[in-house]
Amino acid sequence: MGIRDELLKTKLVSQEQLKGCSRQEVADLADSVGGRLPKAYEDFLLSMGHGAGKFLAGTDTFWPVLPLLRDAANRLLEESSAEPLTPSAFVLYMHQGYEFGYFLLDDGDDPAVYQYAEGWPAPQQVWGSFTDYMAEMLEHFSHAHSSRYVGR
């Protein structure tokens, strides 16, 4: 079962709130980074690349900001006197301008995800795969939204 199905299973997001990218948008994004995106990430884009209700709200991770995130991440690294991203790094999210995550385009169909936060000396691998990253985001989302109803 993929992240889309897991997200729908929570009943915190409806099918109508999942807005996927078109195949052409995914192809254009892939072309802009050298021709290929990891399959796990393509699946994410096709199922919810334009938005997913409140899931990941407050984090820049959806179309149309995706092509802008790399430059923003490199600015953050420069401000922190950290090394710039390697050419194969694809920034998949930026949160509030002080934290971002990326994967390496040459790291297979379900690449590890690295994170950097303002003030850190360097990015670090936090998740073993994009799937692991999405599973943790879903867990946080589910917990945050279900805990609001405890005791009512």
Side-chain angles (χ1 to χ4, degrees):
M1 189 178 304
I3 188 67
R4 178 189 163 281
D5 295 330
E6 291 292 331
L7 184 57
L8 289 172
K9 198 166 95 176
T10 69
K11 298 190 184 205
L12 297 169
V13 174
S14 70
Q15 175 67 44
E16 294 75 33
Q17 291 174 305
L18 298 181
K19 300 187 183 335
C21 290
S22 69
R23 292 204 178 273
Q24 186 60 54
E25 288 169 326
V26 173
D28 290 346
L29 184 60
D31 286 346
S32 76
V33 298
R36 188 170 183 283
L37 294 169
K39 178 158 180 14
Y41 187 65
E42 278 188 1
D43 291 346
F44 163 79
L45 292 173
L46 291 168
S47 64
M48 64 186 87
H50 277 277
K54 292 182 180 179
F55 181 58
L56 299 174
T59 299
D60 292 325
T61 196
F62 298 110
W63 199 269
V65 299
L66 290 173
L68 309 174
L69 297 180
R70 182 181 173 84
D71 287 342
N74 271 325
R75 279 194 304 277
L76 178 59
L77 289 167
E78 184 179 333
E79 290 168 7
S80 300
S81 299
E83 292 292 316
L85 293 169
T86 64
S88 69
F90 179 88
V91 179
L92 66 119
Y93 79 85
M94 178 159 268
H95 185 72
Q96 306 293 317
Y98 71 88
E99 172 190 316
F100 67 88
Y102 68 94
F103 54 75
L104 301 176
L105 291 165
D106 53 3
D107 189 25
D109 282 334
D110 197 5
V113 176
Y114 299 80
Q115 184 178 47
Y116 179 80
E118 190 172 30
W120 290 7
Q124 45 189 282
Q125 181 182 328
V126 178
W127 298 277
S129 68
F130 177 75
T131 301
D132 291 345
Y133 161 74
M134 291 303 293
E136 186 170 322
M137 295 305 103
L138 179 60
E139 184 179 321
H140 289 308
F141 175 72
S142 297
H143 182 266
H145 287 80
S146 64
S147 64
R148 292 182 184 170
Y149 303 103
V150 173
R152 285 191 176 170

mmCIF file of all heavy atoms in Angstrom, residues 3 9 19 22-23 32 36 41 43-44 57 60 83 95-96 98 101 107 110 116 118 128 132 140 142 147:
data_model
loop_
_atom_site.group_PDB
_atom_site.id
_atom_site.type_symbol
_atom_site.label_atom_id
_atom_site.label_comp_id
_atom_site.label_asym_id
_atom_site.label_seq_id
_atom_site.Cartn_x
_atom_site.Cartn_y
_atom_site.Cartn_z
ATOM 1 N N ILE A 3 1.736 5.591 -0.072
ATOM 2 C CA ILE A 3 1.440 6.725 0.806
ATOM 3 C C ILE A 3 0.052 7.296 0.534
ATOM 4 O O ILE A 3 -0.651 7.691 1.460
ATOM 5 C CB ILE A 3 2.541 7.822 0.699
ATOM 6 C CG1 ILE A 3 2.328 8.912 1.747
ATOM 7 C CG2 ILE A 3 2.575 8.436 -0.681
ATOM 8 C CD1 ILE A 3 2.522 8.468 3.158
ATOM 9 N N LYS A 9 -6.569 6.266 4.159
ATOM 10 C CA LYS A 9 -7.022 5.380 5.237
ATOM 11 C C LYS A 9 -7.210 6.135 6.561
ATOM 12 O O LYS A 9 -8.033 5.755 7.382
ATOM 13 C CB LYS A 9 -6.018 4.234 5.390
ATOM 14 C CG LYS A 9 -6.545 3.049 6.133
ATOM 15 C CD LYS A 9 -5.640 1.848 5.939
ATOM 16 C CE LYS A 9 -4.662 1.749 7.071
ATOM 17 N NZ LYS A 9 -3.802 0.577 7.013
ATOM 18 N N LYS A 19 -4.478 16.168 -5.073
ATOM 19 C CA LYS A 19 -4.368 16.757 -6.399
ATOM 20 C C LYS A 19 -3.004 16.412 -6.990
ATOM 21 O O LYS A 19 -1.988 16.971 -6.595
ATOM 22 C CB LYS A 19 -4.566 18.259 -6.303
ATOM 23 C CG LYS A 19 -5.940 18.627 -5.731
ATOM 24 C CD LYS A 19 -6.221 20.086 -5.792
ATOM 25 C CE LYS A 19 -7.518 20.504 -5.170
ATOM 26 N NZ LYS A 19 -8.590 19.592 -5.064
ATOM 27 N N SER A 22 0.230 16.293 -13.454
ATOM 28 C CA SER A 22 0.054 15.579 -14.709
ATOM 29 C C SER A 22 1.362 14.870 -15.068
ATOM 30 O O SER A 22 2.432 15.235 -14.550
ATOM 31 C CB SER A 22 -0.322 16.555 -15.827
ATOM 32 O OG SER A 22 0.791 17.391 -16.133
ATOM 33 N N ARG A 23 1.273 13.897 -15.928
ATOM 34 C CA ARG A 23 2.485 13.211 -16.391
ATOM 35 C C ARG A 23 3.427 14.194 -17.082
ATOM 36 O O ARG A 23 4.643 14.070 -16.965
ATOM 37 C CB ARG A 23 2.132 12.052 -17.311
ATOM 38 C CG ARG A 23 1.436 10.937 -16.548
ATOM 39 C CD ARG A 23 1.600 9.590 -17.234
ATOM 40 N NE ARG A 23 0.967 8.559 -16.439
ATOM 41 C CZ ARG A 23 1.549 7.897 -15.453
ATOM 42 N NH1 ARG A 23 2.780 8.165 -15.130
ATOM 43 N NH2 ARG A 23 0.909 6.973 -14.770
ATOM 44 N N SER A 32 14.080 19.130 -16.176
ATOM 45 C CA SER A 32 14.782 20.283 -15.587
ATOM 46 C C SER A 32 15.934 19.864 -14.674
ATOM 47 O O SER A 32 16.808 20.673 -14.386
ATOM 48 C CB SER A 32 13.807 21.186 -14.822
ATOM 49 O OG SER A 32 13.449 20.617 -13.573
ATOM 50 N N ARG A 36 15.582 12.298 -15.029
ATOM 51 C CA ARG A 36 14.946 11.196 -14.299
ATOM 52 C C ARG A 36 14.748 11.541 -12.831
ATOM 53 O O ARG A 36 15.657 12.045 -12.182
ATOM 54 C CB ARG A 36 15.805 9.944 -14.417
ATOM 55 C CG ARG A 36 15.118 8.734 -13.845
ATOM 56 C CD ARG A 36 15.867 7.455 -14.173
ATOM 57 N NE ARG A 36 15.148 6.314 -13.671
ATOM 58 C CZ ARG A 36 15.114 5.934 -12.391
ATOM 59 N NH1 ARG A 36 15.753 6.617 -11.480
ATOM 60 N NH2 ARG A 36 14.442 4.867 -12.029
ATOM 61 N N TYR A 41 9.291 9.011 -5.765
ATOM 62 C CA TYR A 41 8.949 10.433 -5.789
ATOM 63 C C TYR A 41 7.988 10.745 -6.934
ATOM 64 O O TYR A 41 7.052 11.535 -6.753
ATOM 65 C CB TYR A 41 10.217 11.275 -5.895
ATOM 66 C CG TYR A 41 9.948 12.750 -5.751
ATOM 67 C CD1 TYR A 41 9.460 13.274 -4.554
ATOM 68 C CD2 TYR A 41 10.155 13.613 -6.813
ATOM 69 C CE1 TYR A 41 9.191 14.625 -4.422
ATOM 70 C CE2 TYR A 41 9.893 14.971 -6.686
ATOM 71 C CZ TYR A 41 9.411 15.469 -5.490
ATOM 72 O OH TYR A 41 9.140 16.804 -5.367
ATOM 73 N N ASP A 43 5.725 8.763 -8.052
ATOM 74 C CA ASP A 43 4.418 8.293 -7.571
ATOM 75 C C ASP A 43 3.780 9.329 -6.654
ATOM 76 O O ASP A 43 2.571 9.581 -6.735
ATOM 77 C CB ASP A 43 4.560 6.954 -6.850
ATOM 78 C CG ASP A 43 4.927 5.813 -7.782
ATOM 79 O OD1 ASP A 43 4.819 5.962 -9.022
ATOM 80 O OD2 ASP A 43 5.352 4.754 -7.261
ATOM 81 N N PHE A 44 4.566 9.927 -5.770
ATOM 82 C CA PHE A 44 4.076 10.992 -4.894
ATOM 83 C C PHE A 44 3.532 12.156 -5.727
ATOM 84 O O PHE A 44 2.425 12.645 -5.493
ATOM 85 C CB PHE A 44 5.190 11.468 -3.959
ATOM 86 C CG PHE A 44 4.927 12.797 -3.312
ATOM 87 C CD1 PHE A 44 4.079 12.895 -2.217
ATOM 88 C CD2 PHE A 44 5.519 13.952 -3.800
ATOM 89 C CE1 PHE A 44 3.822 14.128 -1.617
ATOM 90 C CE2 PHE A 44 5.274 15.184 -3.213
ATOM 91 C CZ PHE A 44 4.416 15.266 -2.118
ATOM 92 N N ALA A 57 0.854 20.681 5.160
ATOM 93 C CA ALA A 57 0.548 22.116 5.115
ATOM 94 C C ALA A 57 1.610 22.882 5.900
ATOM 95 O O ALA A 57 2.095 22.420 6.928
ATOM 96 C CB ALA A 57 -0.834 22.384 5.704
ATOM 97 N N ASP A 60 6.746 23.866 2.057
ATOM 98 C CA ASP A 60 6.782 23.996 0.600
ATOM 99 C C ASP A 60 7.258 22.684 0.020
ATOM 100 O O ASP A 60 8.452 22.361 0.078
ATOM 101 C CB ASP A 60 7.722 25.128 0.185
ATOM 102 C CG ASP A 60 7.198 26.494 0.585
ATOM 103 O OD1 ASP A 60 5.967 26.689 0.547
ATOM 104 O OD2 ASP A 60 8.012 27.359 0.924
ATOM 105 N N GLU A 83 28.565 23.944 2.968
ATOM 106 C CA GLU A 83 28.840 23.615 1.571
ATOM 107 C C GLU A 83 27.547 23.621 0.754
ATOM 108 O O GLU A 83 26.495 23.205 1.251
ATOM 109 C CB GLU A 83 29.466 22.219 1.477
ATOM 110 C CG GLU A 83 30.852 22.129 2.067
ATOM 111 C CD GLU A 83 31.877 22.924 1.263
ATOM 112 O OE1 GLU A 83 31.866 22.842 0.024
ATOM 113 O OE2 GLU A 83 32.681 23.629 1.902
ATOM 114 N N HIS A 95 10.887 23.997 4.780
ATOM 115 C CA HIS A 95 9.942 24.319 5.852
ATOM 116 C C HIS A 95 10.322 25.656 6.495
ATOM 117 O O HIS A 95 11.413 25.784 7.067
ATOM 118 C CB HIS A 95 9.928 23.204 6.898
ATOM 119 C CG HIS A 95 8.906 23.403 7.961
ATOM 120 N ND1 HIS A 95 7.559 23.240 7.714
ATOM 121 C CD2 HIS A 95 9.023 23.782 9.246
ATOM 122 C CE1 HIS A 95 6.894 23.513 8.829
ATOM 123 N NE2 HIS A 95 7.754 23.836 9.769
ATOM 124 N N GLN A 96 9.438 26.607 6.355
ATOM 125 C CA GLN A 96 9.549 27.912 7.010
ATOM 126 C C GLN A 96 10.866 28.642 6.720
ATOM 127 O O GLN A 96 11.266 29.518 7.475
ATOM 128 C CB GLN A 96 9.363 27.760 8.518
ATOM 129 C CG GLN A 96 8.094 27.054 8.937
ATOM 130 C CD GLN A 96 6.842 27.851 8.626
ATOM 131 O OE1 GLN A 96 6.796 29.042 8.836
ATOM 132 N NE2 GLN A 96 5.823 27.191 8.094
ATOM 133 N N TYR A 98 13.913 27.732 7.100
ATOM 134 C CA TYR A 98 15.079 27.406 7.935
ATOM 135 C C TYR A 98 15.471 25.935 7.879
ATOM 136 O O TYR A 98 16.477 25.529 8.472
ATOM 137 C CB TYR A 98 14.840 27.806 9.391
ATOM 138 C CG TYR A 98 13.829 26.948 10.115
ATOM 139 C CD1 TYR A 98 14.221 25.782 10.773
ATOM 140 C CD2 TYR A 98 12.483 27.292 10.149
ATOM 141 C CE1 TYR A 98 13.305 24.978 11.419
ATOM 142 C CE2 TYR A 98 11.558 26.502 10.797
ATOM 143 C CZ TYR A 98 11.974 25.355 11.432
ATOM 144 O OH TYR A 98 11.059 24.560 12.067
ATOM 145 N N GLY A 101 14.800 19.412 3.002
ATOM 146 C CA GLY A 101 15.168 18.026 2.795
ATOM 147 C C GLY A 101 15.424 17.776 1.328
ATOM 148 O O GLY A 101 14.850 18.429 0.457
ATOM 149 N N ASP A 107 20.480 7.960 -6.539
ATOM 150 C CA ASP A 107 20.425 7.029 -5.405
ATOM 151 C C ASP A 107 19.275 6.021 -5.526
ATOM 152 O O ASP A 107 18.701 5.601 -4.529
ATOM 153 C CB ASP A 107 20.322 7.827 -4.100
ATOM 154 C CG ASP A 107 20.482 6.969 -2.861
ATOM 155 O OD1 ASP A 107 21.114 5.890 -2.947
ATOM 156 O OD2 ASP A 107 19.962 7.362 -1.798
ATOM 157 N N ASP A 110 14.086 4.696 -4.667
ATOM 158 C CA ASP A 110 13.532 5.104 -3.373
ATOM 159 C C ASP A 110 14.697 5.614 -2.517
ATOM 160 O O ASP A 110 15.141 4.956 -1.578
ATOM 161 C CB ASP A 110 12.825 3.925 -2.708
ATOM 162 C CG ASP A 110 11.893 4.349 -1.586
ATOM 163 O OD1 ASP A 110 11.706 5.568 -1.373
ATOM 164 O OD2 ASP A 110 11.354 3.448 -0.916
ATOM 165 N N TYR A 116 18.601 19.387 6.357
ATOM 166 C CA TYR A 116 19.475 20.454 6.845
ATOM 167 C C TYR A 116 18.594 21.466 7.550
ATOM 168 O O TYR A 116 17.518 21.811 7.077
ATOM 169 C CB TYR A 116 20.234 21.146 5.707
ATOM 170 C CG TYR A 116 21.109 22.255 6.228
ATOM 171 C CD1 TYR A 116 22.339 21.968 6.802
ATOM 172 C CD2 TYR A 116 20.667 23.570 6.224
ATOM 173 C CE1 TYR A 116 23.131 22.970 7.333
ATOM 174 C CE2 TYR A 116 21.453 24.584 6.753
ATOM 175 C CZ TYR A 116 22.683 24.279 7.309
ATOM 176 O OH TYR A 116 23.457 25.271 7.847
ATOM 177 N N GLU A 118 18.869 25.307 9.712
ATOM 178 C CA GLU A 118 19.707 26.484 9.938
ATOM 179 C C GLU A 118 20.605 26.286 11.152
ATOM 180 O O GLU A 118 20.156 25.842 12.205
ATOM 181 C CB GLU A 118 18.803 27.697 10.151
ATOM 182 C CG GLU A 118 19.501 29.014 10.171
ATOM 183 C CD GLU A 118 18.514 30.158 10.180
ATOM 184 O OE1 GLU A 118 17.398 30.006 10.709
ATOM 185 O OE2 GLU A 118 18.872 31.219 9.661
ATOM 186 N N GLY A 128 16.120 6.552 5.623
ATOM 187 C CA GLY A 128 16.767 5.606 4.725
ATOM 188 C C GLY A 128 16.187 5.584 3.331
ATOM 189 O O GLY A 128 16.815 5.090 2.403
ATOM 190 N N ASP A 132 10.314 5.998 3.694
ATOM 191 C CA ASP A 132 10.439 6.162 5.151
ATOM 192 C C ASP A 132 10.106 7.595 5.567
ATOM 193 O O ASP A 132 9.437 7.823 6.578
ATOM 194 C CB ASP A 132 11.850 5.831 5.631
ATOM 195 C CG ASP A 132 12.196 4.358 5.517
ATOM 196 O OD1 ASP A 132 11.289 3.522 5.332
ATOM 197 O OD2 ASP A 132 13.407 4.044 5.593
ATOM 198 N N HIS A 140 3.257 11.704 11.864
ATOM 199 C CA HIS A 140 3.134 12.996 12.566
ATOM 200 C C HIS A 140 1.789 13.652 12.277
ATOM 201 O O HIS A 140 1.131 14.171 13.180
ATOM 202 C CB HIS A 140 4.261 13.953 12.169
ATOM 203 C CG HIS A 140 5.598 13.586 12.700
ATOM 204 N ND1 HIS A 140 5.854 13.330 14.026
ATOM 205 C CD2 HIS A 140 6.778 13.413 12.065
ATOM 206 C CE1 HIS A 140 7.120 13.021 14.189
ATOM 207 N NE2 HIS A 140 7.705 13.060 13.019
ATOM 208 N N SER A 142 -1.062 12.222 11.261
ATOM 209 C CA SER A 142 -2.150 11.455 11.878
ATOM 210 C C SER A 142 -2.217 11.714 13.376
ATOM 211 O O SER A 142 -3.296 11.937 13.933
ATOM 212 C CB SER A 142 -1.962 9.961 11.626
ATOM 213 O OG SER A 142 -2.015 9.682 10.263
ATOM 214 N N SER A 147 -5.051 13.588 17.860
ATOM 215 C CA SER A 147 -4.937 13.948 19.275
ATOM 216 C C SER A 147 -5.819 15.128 19.636
ATOM 217 O O SER A 147 -6.119 15.356 20.803
ATOM 218 C CB SER A 147 -3.474 14.255 19.644
ATOM 219 O OG SER A 147 -3.006 15.393 18.945
#
